[in-house]
Amino acid sequence: MRLYAESTDLFLTDARMHRIAEKVRGEYIAQIGHRPGAAEYESWQNSLTSLALLISQADLDDHGVILEYQLGNTSRRLDALLTGHAQNDSENAVIVELKQWGATARSNAEGCVETFVGQRLRPVPHPSVQVGLYEQWLLDNHTAFYDDGIGLAGVSWLHNMQYDPTEELFADRHAEYLKTNPLFTGDQSTELAEFLNERLSEGDGVPVMAKVLDSKYKPSKKLLDHTAEMVAGQQEFILLDEQFVVFESVLAAAREGFHRTTKAVMLVKGGPGTGKSVIALHLVGRLARDGYNAQHATGSKAFTENIRRIVGRRARAQFAYFNQFGAADPNDVDVLILDEAHRIRETSASRFTPKAAKTDLPQIDELVNAAKTTVFFIDDLQVVRPNEVGSVNLIKEAAARASAEIQEFELETQFRCAGSEAFVSWVDHTLGLAETAHPIWEGDDAFDFRIVDSVEQLDALIRSKAAEPNTTARLVAGFCWPWSDPLDDGTLVPDVKVGTWQMPWNARSDAGRLADGIPQERYWASDPRGIDQVGCIYTAQGFEFDYVGVIFGRDLRWDPASESWIGDPSESHDSIVKRSGAQFTDLVKRTYRVLLTRGMKGAYVQFMNPTTSAHVRSRSRSLPSVPKR
């Protein structure tokens, strides 16, 4: 998608006639289906007028200009891409990222600065980092730049600013980024014009622009090799029994996919700790090493962003979200690996989806359509929101509609909970989610499960475990307290309160500026500083720790009279789940199942409701309630 693609001559005419922003807005409405926000329209008016002045100053009168050019199936759009020829007759393009910023401040995040965005001081990528990532993404994923040989560079232009060497943007810690992708301020337009002329001075840019627009998005071999290398650099693992079968079966399906017309759907079922995510991640690495376009996707921002952090900035292009495949061509991907498939939604469409891309197609059908081989890793009992519809039956029905060959696998070997299948089975039975062979907890020397008497004791126990060498531990809770925005100084409000004890939730995803020492929401599970916040289901799901402490709230309690679990929406602050009606109790049960099974070596729980605590204790023959010395 792009909102404007014309010659620079026509662009300058549109700018002089004060109609360029209106043309872009009209195309936005036509493609997206609704009007852009007032702030975005105002940015087009200001920035595109400045861009026109720059193009005139640089005498770029025979070139191509693409505005608001979307990067493949991502939600990101380049501000402007200029095309032309250099003096040596090579075809070139230059990304120009336009900023209306005023002053910036230092951020404690690497490669970031803070500035006012959306009426709030927020951490954002340094402009040189941002445009550098866009440049690398195109070099890795757009055939015009890695097959057709079009040269590419990227710059940012802060046209409202004056150069000030003491400004945070020019601090020494950003020197490498600035060297690779220069930044120019408004009073440096002459230098920026020279930069553009070095790459585009010979014009004839419209044919180059056409080549860019006609080319395809597809990961390059260099990117696949890099992804394989980054994944291989993570912890080695040994496949056991059915895990080995799943891994090798997916590889075989990928090989066969090139020689058959039918699709393959592979359904991998497994409870918490059966290695689903580990297998999925290493499949991406192995398939990339073998030259396949293998993409990994989830429905979880925290989970996907942590994987992207692990594999690095460049390989992140191979790790996406479920809702990014609606515009994909059929069989665009060789192997699509879908982790946490229980988090699939009914549809990928939102108010930001281009109008042309909106269809009545369910998200599950988009995913199956996008790949030759689709691999779903799923646990039906981990659905914790009413808008999550992923299930074994849903996948089977989609496979049938696509006339796909389907293979089913069951993972049983337990890697979490110290390998205690009995503990996971007991949790399922106790919460009334499934009839299992373990209605009573008999204890397990290898797995430390305890009920504690107070939240202070729970907090102290988790902190003592986190203080041990090479040990991770986190405190989590049911969504039974409000979740506030940060204070003006970036500190978090201690919303989770039990008596005199209090602690904040992890930061919200839209928190804006955070004080030093507070990790962003998406990194709460992996950042050691997460020990100072309580995690919720949405930041804990998909992750594991050595030890987990669970505050079991009053949104779910055991009722002795009816001998059943009762969900209480009045005790919940999860607005979406509260509106789920008859689903509420079951969704909250699944929430606590997920939280209780995050621990590799131990799980500790404190029940807010005494009757519930007594009931769970009654289902154990061996349940210490005080810390072991």
Side-chain angles (χ1 to χ4, degrees), residues 9 103 139 161 215 292 379-380 382 446 585:
D9 183 57
L139 290 171
M161 289 184 70
S215 297
Y292 295 99
D379 177 3
D380 278 2
Q382 285 201 49
T585 298

Side-chain angles (χ1 to χ4, degrees), residues 414-600:
Q414 181 62 235
F415 281 83
R416 204 177 292 155
C417 305
S420 178
E421 295 179 25
F423 179 72
V424 177
S425 179
W426 174 72
V427 168
D428 288 348
H429 198 111
T430 300
L431 290 174
L433 291 169
E435 291 291 325
T436 73
H438 299 92
I440 302 297
W441 174 243
E442 303 287 354
D444 188 330
D445 290 340
F447 187 71
D448 185 12
F449 175 64
R450 303 179 226 173
I451 295 176
V452 301
D453 299 324
S454 70
V455 71
E456 289 87 354
Q457 186 180 6
L458 184 67
D459 185 17
L461 190 52
I462 286 299
R463 289 183 182 276
S464 70
K465 292 298 182 182
E468 295 177 2
N470 302 314
T471 302
T472 58
R474 289 291 186 277
L475 195 62
V476 299
F479 208 156
C480 300
W481 292 269
W483 195 1
S484 303
D485 289 326
L487 300 174
D488 290 341
D489 63 357
T491 57
L492 302 178
V493 178
D495 285 316
V496 185
K497 298 179 180 180
V498 182
T500 59
W501 181 92
Q502 58 184 18
M503 186 180 286
W505 288 112
N506 56 258
R508 299 173 66 101
S509 59
D510 58 350
R513 178 179 179 271
L514 295 172
D516 287 351
I518 300 175
Q520 296 178 37
E521 163 255 2
R522 56 188 171 179
Y523 298 133
W524 168 85
S526 58
D527 191 312
R529 298 171 299 180
I531 191 69
D532 293 319
Q533 301 96 41
V534 179
C536 72
I537 180 62
Y538 305 118
T539 46
Q541 189 172 26
F543 296 99
E544 57 190 25
F545 317 102
D546 291 318
Y547 296 91
V548 66
V550 182
I551 304 174
F552 200 113
R554 293 190 175 92
D555 53 345
L556 183 67
R557 69 178 186 275
W558 177 257
D559 178 42
S562 63
E563 295 189 338
S564 64
W565 289 96
I566 304 294
D568 188 348
S570 70
E571 293 286 347
S572 174
H573 284 265
D574 190 330
S575 58
I576 294 177
V577 175
K578 284 178 71 170
R579 296 195 297 266
S580 63
Q583 290 182 274
F584 180 83
T585 298
D586 196 46
L587 291 173
V588 178
K589 284 183 184 181
R590 295 180 182 197
T591 293
Y592 284 113
R593 175 189 187 255
V594 171
L595 297 179
L596 286 166
T597 55
R598 296 304 92 191
M600 298 282 287

Side-chain angles (χ1 to χ4, degrees), residues 250-388:
V250 172
L251 296 182
R255 289 191 295 267
E256 294 167 5
F258 278 98
H259 308 292
R260 66 181 174 203
T261 56
T262 56
K263 290 177 174 288
V265 168
M266 311 189 79
L267 182 55
V268 185
K269 298 172 284 186
T274 51
K276 299 187 298 296
S277 296
V278 175
I279 298 170
L281 182 60
H282 283 80
L283 272 169
V284 175
R286 174 61 180 274
L287 288 163
R289 191 196 75 182
D290 292 348
Y292 295 99
N293 175 14
Q295 297 220 338
H296 180 285
T298 79
S300 165
K301 180 179 179 181
F303 193 47
T304 295
E305 291 304 319
N306 271 273
I307 293 175
R308 287 176 167 181
R309 190 186 220 184
I310 289 170
V311 301
R313 287 176 176 168
R314 186 176 177 190
R316 65 185 285 131
Q318 296 305 103
F319 296 87
Y321 295 96
F322 294 155
N323 63 359
Q324 289 182 229
F325 295 90
D329 292 331
N331 298 333
D332 218 9
V333 182
D334 294 332
V335 183
L336 183 54
I337 296 169
L338 303 159
D339 201 0
E340 303 238 310
H342 36 271
R343 303 198 68 175
I344 289 171
R345 271 59 165 185
E346 289 184 359
T347 177
S348 297
S350 72
R351 66 184 298 267
F352 302 106
T353 305
K355 185 176 181 180
K358 287 185 178 179
T359 69
D360 295 329
L361 201 64
Q363 188 175 86
I364 181 68
D365 290 303
E366 291 177 354
L367 297 169
V368 172
N369 178 67
K372 299 173 184 175
T373 299
T374 318
V375 187
F376 295 88
F377 289 88
I378 191 167
D379 177 3
D380 278 2
L381 293 181
Q382 285 201 49
V383 172
V384 297
R385 288 171 76 92
N387 58 353
E388 294 173 353

Side-chain angles (χ1 to χ4, degrees), residues 112-155:
C112 294
V113 296
E114 290 187 351
T115 192
F116 275 92
V117 178
Q119 300 182 332
R120 184 186 296 179
L121 191 63
R122 299 175 186 269
V124 294
H126 186 286
S128 293
V129 172
Q130 181 182 8
V131 77
L133 291 173
Y134 290 169
E135 179 184 340
Q136 187 63 61
W137 196 94
L138 286 172
L139 290 171
D140 280 336
N141 292 278
H142 199 309
T143 56
F145 301 104
Y146 70 77
D147 268 351
D148 297 339
I150 298 176
L152 185 63
V155 297

